[in-house]
């Protein structure tokens, strides 16, 4: 109370939140009995507004189990916001970036969706400030799903830029965007660096960005085989990205 100029109730709320998070973490919901989880999910899926958030146009069969776990975690986040009035401590800086960042241009629509989900799911009506935070949570979810749709960005080493990549882009149905390594930016996630030899620029990117996947282009192999190896790395990096988002939830 003294250090942060809090009222007694504010200090108590923050203390209770901390105790709860330390014991259960934001994925506390996964520790509920299975039949309770099913009941909760069924209740949420009755809400058209909730289902609209989880559009799955770009979701593959291998993505689906992770998306289900992410949905469960987000419900846990919603409940913590409703009970404690603030965002939970997450293990995903990617989600945090959206939840605590600037409000998006469509925030009014997201806020209306948040209020509608609470109403349609028979959840407790909460204060306007808490609805605002749930709206930002929805913004984070939608941003993550859009990232899945965008898939990976391939950064080609300058030594490989003369390779004809049109056929590869066609094969991937635009599920990968291919850029020069000169334009590398860590905001693209997941990202793959394709190189022919480990030169200083490539090594620096991989050293400073632990989440970036690398693929060595083997000149002795046919071009189509190198493309296949890049595609395999794309699938692996996409799943690793999803695993990081839902990390901590029991399988």
């Amino acid at each position: 109370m003294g250090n942060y100029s809090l009222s007694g109730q504010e200090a108590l709320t923050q203390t209770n939140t901390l105790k709860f998070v330390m014991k259960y973490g934001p994925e506390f919901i996964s520790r509920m009995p299975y039949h309770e989880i099913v009941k909760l999910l069924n209740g949420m899926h009755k809400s058209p507004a909730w289902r609209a958030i989880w559009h799955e146009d770009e979701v593959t069969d291998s993505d689906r189990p992770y998306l289900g776990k992410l949905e469960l975690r987000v419900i846990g986040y919603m409940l913590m916001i409703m009970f404690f009035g603030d965002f939970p401590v997450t293990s995903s800086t990617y989600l945090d970036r959206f939840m605590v960042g600037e409000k998006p241009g469509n925030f009014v629509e997201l806020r209306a969706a948040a209020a509608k989900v609470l109403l349609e799911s028979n959840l407790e009506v909460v204060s306007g400030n808490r609805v605002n935070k749930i709206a930002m949570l929805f913004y984070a979810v939608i941003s993550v799903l859009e990232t899945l749709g965008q898939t990976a960005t391939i950064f080609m080493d300058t030594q490989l830029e003369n390779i004809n990549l049109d056929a590869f882009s066609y094969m991937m149905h635009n599920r990968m965007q291919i850029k020069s390594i000169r334009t590398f930016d860590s905001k693209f996630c997941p990202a793959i660096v394709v190189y022919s030899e480990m030169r200083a620029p490539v090594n620096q990117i991989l050293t400073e960005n632990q989440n970036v996947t690398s693929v060595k282009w083997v000149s002795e192999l046919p071009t189509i085989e190198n493309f296949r190896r890049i595609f395999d790395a794309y699938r692996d990096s996409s799943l690793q990205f999803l695993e990081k988002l839902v990390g901590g939830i029991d399988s």
Side-chain angles (χ1 to χ4, degrees), residues 163-176:
I163 295 175
N164 186 342
L165 298 172
D166 291 342
F168 186 47
S169 298
Y170 178 78
M171 288 166 55
M172 295 300 104
H173 303 289
N174 297 319
R175 296 206 63 172
M176 295 184 188

Side-chain angles (χ1 to χ4, degrees), residues 47-232:
S47 165
W50 175 259
R51 295 197 307 271
I53 294 169
W54 296 88
H55 57 83
E56 302 181 7
D57 296 341
E58 302 291 344
V59 176
T60 65
D61 289 341
S62 55
D63 297 336
R64 206 168 299 280
Y66 295 98
L67 196 64
K69 291 182 180 180
L70 181 60
E71 182 181 11
L72 191 61
R73 166 174 277 196
V74 169
I75 294 172
Y77 290 168
M78 282 181 57
L79 294 175
M80 292 192 72
I81 292 171
M82 290 168 60
F83 294 151
F84 300 114
D86 209 347
F87 293 115
V89 177
T90 78
S91 60
S92 170
T93 56
Y94 194 80
L95 279 176
D96 289 343
R97 184 198 318 169
F98 293 106
M99 287 194 290
V100 301
E102 295 184 2
K103 293 180 179 178
N106 63 338
F107 179 75
V108 173
E109 291 86 348
L110 290 170
R111 191 184 190 285
K116 195 170 183 180
V117 165
L118 294 176
L119 179 64
E120 291 176 344
S121 306
N122 295 320
L123 295 173
E124 178 185 357
V125 177
V126 295
S127 67
N129 185 49
R130 299 187 189 197
V131 174
N132 289 345
K133 291 181 178 180
I134 293 175
M136 291 300 290
L137 177 61
F138 287 1
Y139 170 55
V141 170
I142 293 170
S143 299
V144 166
L145 294 177
E146 288 176 348
T147 298
L148 290 179
Q150 175 185 324
T151 68
T153 302
I154 311 297
F155 291 97
M156 301 293 291
D157 192 4
T158 52
Q159 296 179 341
L160 299 171
E161 290 177 0
N162 61 338
I163 295 175
N164 186 342
L165 298 172
D166 291 342
F168 186 47
S169 298
Y170 178 78
M171 288 166 55
M172 295 300 104
H173 303 289
N174 297 319
R175 296 206 63 172
M176 295 184 188
Q177 54 179 337
I178 302 174
K179 297 178 176 290
S180 168
I181 199 171
R182 298 186 185 94
T183 65
F184 178 82
D185 191 322
S186 59
K187 73 180 180 181
F188 292 100
C189 181
I192 299 172
V193 169
V194 181
Y195 66 96
S196 59
E197 59 183 60
M198 187 57 72
R199 301 180 301 111
V202 176
N203 184 63
Q204 181 178 355
I205 289 175
L206 298 179
T207 300
E208 295 177 354
N209 301 274
Q210 300 299 316
N211 293 329
V212 172
T213 301
S214 63
V215 177
K216 179 177 173 60
W217 185 281
V218 182
S219 59
E220 292 80 7
L221 293 176
T223 299
I224 191 65
E225 179 63 17
N226 278 302
F227 286 164
R228 185 194 65 77
R229 294 170 60 246
I230 295 173
F231 178 76
D232 288 346

